[in-house]
Amino acid sequence: MSPILYALEHGKSKLSQMERKLAERILASPGEIVHMGITELAEQCGISPATITRFCKVLHFKGFPDFKVKLAAEIAHSDGSPEGSGSSYQDIVAGNPLSVIVEAMQANHLASIRDTTSLLDLERLQSAIDVLCRARRVDMYGMATSSIVAQDFYQKLIRIGVNCTAFADSHMQITSASSLQEGDVAFAVSYSGETPETIDALSCAAASGAATISLTSYGSSSLATLADIPLFSSSLEQGMRRGDMASRIAQLHIIDILFTGMVSTRFGDFIPKLEQSYLNVQHYRHKRGGQS
Amino acid sequence: MSPILYALEHGKSKLSQMERKLAERILASPGEIVHMGITELAEQCGISPATITRFCKVLHFKGFPDFKVKLAAEIAHSDGSPEGSGSSYQDIVAGNPLSVIVEAMQANHLASIRDTTSLLDLERLQSAIDVLCRARRVDMYGMATSSIVAQDFYQKLIRIGVNCTAFADSHMQITSASSLQEGDVAFAVSYSGETPETIDALSCAAASGAATISLTSYGSSSLATLADIPLFSSSLEQGMRRGDMASRIAQLHIIDILFTGMVSTRFGDFIPKLEQSYLNVQHYRHKRGGQS
DNA sequence: TCTATTCATGAAAATAATTTTCCTATATTA
DNA sequence: TAATATAGGAAAATTATTTTCATGAATAGA
């Protein structure tokens, strides 16, 4: 906790009634305070602006604006997660004020990325990258939210000239999987690891002789068991319906690592293609008279 | 370097003479700026206070004090964690060992989420949520990477029964935009804020009388200027082609906040629909013999 | 090349925010 | 109980910020 908030918390007992109201309001959501005027804050606390100015002077600030700037600087260091723990998932419920939602979401997403990174098995990740780099063709499978992740990887791979498909349609996924061969890669994404359509597609791909990679939430699941190289994103403890938001961020995080790993491995091959795809989009647009 | 300073540094060329003086003064010692009044800063730059206020507005801040608070928050992280984990953006180059890539990616993504959160304007976010909650119909626009983000929001909105479309085809986007009416919402996503197809679609939507929301990387852009409610994700300093990875994570972060805000606002309406959509997917699967 | 128009800019007016002053009510101590 | 100290608010004063308006420079069009 930042020095200012700490001082407020611990000095509370010494403060007078009105000052305490103020201190409590500030502690309740410091992030909001920095975007408030003195009048607004005064009203919310049921006190007068004069009291606030005096209070800031007591704390040795030059005034209220000075206090705000210093406070903003301090709370920026923290994650927004209460008690600075760094890794706690927050649940979000009805009627929460927006500031709480924002803080909770930040805490969740940061925790999710951290947890996912710390769970990574580098060797396994490297072998996934190697397999992908050598792939003649790559198939992506995923339904609903996971289809977004699959699409994202698809877009990236296309840009470096990897022969890749990512059908959203489960029948097409199966059809595509049937036509894979040895040397091809099937990459399946699923939050639960139990999505039947995705499992079917990956099974089919394995039967066709393709190497299989799964990306699921951490823990044992049918999809992970099935895959040659199972990769994991962190699973979220609270409120399952909420889980897929943080999980998707974590999965994209892994996708980014995979992609960057691929580019880094085959720099010479891939970077020129990446440049070219970028330039071509630019070029086409300029012809039409638009901008970047 | 923080997104604000980065935007200043890189947008300098687009600025006018006086604005450039100002930008240079801010870049010279951002830490001092946050403790200055607008008049003092104006004098030091040899310009008028009016120019400063205008400049802040161009950067989509509410005014000079708002700029100061956001800047204070940002420079707080950057000097807090020098060159390592924490909050500085890392570039990724050829032949980096995987462990370095992983660390850099984590640092980038964490920084991106933090920066984006600190740049958020809660009031603006709230008005976006309000507008979305009341919308008769919502149109999503976005090309390439941004289309992924648009699709993601689309999937979420559909699940809570919001009438929403997210065509990937730019002609369909325009067609759809033309049929919008007052009370509808158009939501455009673009990393650069200059994607012509997306700008066209949003302009068209505005002409049709729809409320317009943009989600772009931080800085002044055509799309942000066009929108009634411009929202921003943090922009990434290093290696331009790398920017869209972190930016996409940041944009999804904002999508999650918007969605959660909507659900929280209209808990009673939306939660049952969310439950129902979940149960229906389950039900359908069990009939076929699969699992969750 | 000249004119019209747009755009950048500063001066000053208007507005908004903050701080200070002054006053009252309450509590405290002799 | 009276004297005094003090917290706290109302309102005035001050200060900061924003807006408006006028001007001159630059650019585009004729």
Side-chain angles (χ1 to χ4, degrees), chain B residues 7 105 292:
Chain B
M105 199 57 81
S292 147

Side-chain angles (χ1 to χ4, degrees), chain A residues 73 76-77 92 94-96 105 109 114 144-145 152 155-156 195-196 241 244 248 252-253 256 260 264 267 285, chain B residues 73 76-77 92 94-96 105 109 144-145 152 155-156 159 195 248 252-253 256 260 264 267 275 285 291:
Chain A
H77 282 294
I92 292 147
N96 268 343
M105 199 58 81
H109 287 170
R114 283 208 197 93
T145 308
D152 186 85
Q155 284 195 1
K156 288 191 163 52
T195 315
R241 235 57 46 76
D244 66 347
R248 176 203 47 181
L252 289 172
H253 175 56
D256 288 349
T260 309
S264 174
F267 205 71
R285 279 180 179 160
Chain B
H77 331 136
I92 293 146
N96 268 344
M105 199 57 81
H109 287 171
T145 308
D152 186 86
Q155 284 196 359
K156 287 190 165 51
R159 281 200 276 169
T195 315
R248 175 205 48 182
L252 289 172
H253 175 56
D256 288 349
T260 310
S264 173
F267 205 70
E275 294 287 335
R285 279 179 178 161
Q291 298 182 64

Side-chain angles (χ1 to χ4, degrees), chain B:
Chain B
M1 190 184 273
S2 81
I4 294 177
L5 295 179
Y6 175 79
L8 247 45
E9 180 71 40
H10 286 253
K12 247 195 309 198
S13 47
K14 284 192 226 154
L15 300 175
S16 65
Q17 270 189 315
M18 298 297 138
E19 284 176 334
R20 194 167 312 165
K21 278 193 210 169
L22 176 56
E24 257 147 25
R25 176 66 190 85
I26 295 168
L27 286 165
S29 55
E32 281 183 285
I33 307 299
V34 299
H35 300 116
M36 276 182 197
I38 197 171
T39 321
E40 191 181 352
L41 178 57
E43 267 169 29
Q44 288 196 11
C45 300
I47 63 177
S48 76
T51 306
I52 297 180
T53 292
R54 271 193 292 261
F55 182 73
C56 293
K57 292 270 169 79
V58 167
L59 298 174
H60 304 285
F61 294 100
K62 288 213 289 270
F64 180 65
D66 185 44
F67 172 78
K68 278 202 297 189
V69 165
K70 299 264 169 71
L71 183 63
E74 291 215 342
I75 58 183
H77 331 136
S78 63
D79 61 16
S81 51
E83 306 312 312
S85 60
S87 205
S88 66
Y89 293 97
Q90 310 265 310
D91 204 10
I92 293 146
V93 291
N96 268 344
L98 191 54
S99 59
V100 171
I101 291 176
V102 169
E103 262 182 39
M105 199 57 81
Q106 178 180 25
N108 285 357
H109 287 171
L110 291 178
S112 172
I113 289 177
R114 284 210 195 92
D115 289 347
T116 296
T117 308
S118 71
L119 276 171
L120 284 177
D121 180 331
L122 287 189
E123 272 174 49
R124 200 177 279 168
L125 206 58
Q126 185 65 59
S127 61
I129 290 170
D130 293 343
V131 161
L132 284 165
C133 277
R134 283 196 306 269
R136 219 178 44 90
R137 184 178 137 200
V138 178
D139 256 30
M140 302 289 314
Y141 311 128
M143 303 297 292
T145 308
S146 303
S147 135
I148 296 285
V149 178
Q151 290 287 332
D152 186 86
F153 202 17
Y154 164 75
Q155 284 196 359
K156 287 190 165 51
L157 292 180
I158 286 292
R159 281 200 276 169
I160 54 172
V162 172
N163 190 353
C164 180
T165 58
F167 294 108
D169 178 328
S170 60
H171 284 205
M172 287 306 294
Q173 287 178 9
I174 296 276
T175 307
S176 181
S178 316
S179 72
L180 290 176
Q181 301 172 12
E182 207 153 323
D184 294 337
V185 176
F187 193 115
V189 185
S190 166
Y191 173 52
S192 65
E194 304 294 345
T195 315
E197 292 85 351
T198 309
I199 292 174
D200 292 347
L202 201 70
S203 305
C204 184
S208 305
T212 53
I213 304 176
S214 71
L215 176 52
T216 61
S217 261
Y218 184 74
S220 167
S221 69
S222 307
L223 200 60
T225 307
L226 187 61
D228 298 328
I229 307 175
L231 301 175
F232 299 96
S233 63
S234 88
S235 60
L236 185 54
E237 300 47 297
Q238 312 227 6
M240 49 170 187
R241 238 54 47 77
R242 222 121 289 136
D244 66 348
M245 292 201 275
S247 162
R248 175 205 48 182
I249 298 270
Q251 288 179 341
L252 289 172
H253 175 56
I254 291 182
I255 294 293
D256 288 349
I257 291 172
L258 286 174
F259 177 71
T260 310
M262 288 176 73
V263 171
S264 173
T265 305
R266 292 184 50 190
F267 205 70
D269 301 341
F270 288 155
I271 283 288
K273 287 181 181 157
L274 208 51
E275 294 287 335
Q276 195 57 50
S277 81
Y278 178 75
L279 292 175
N280 283 347
V281 171
Q282 296 281 60
H283 175 66
Y284 157 78
R285 279 179 178 161
H286 283 124
K287 276 212 305 216
R288 285 184 52 246
Q291 298 182 64
S292 147

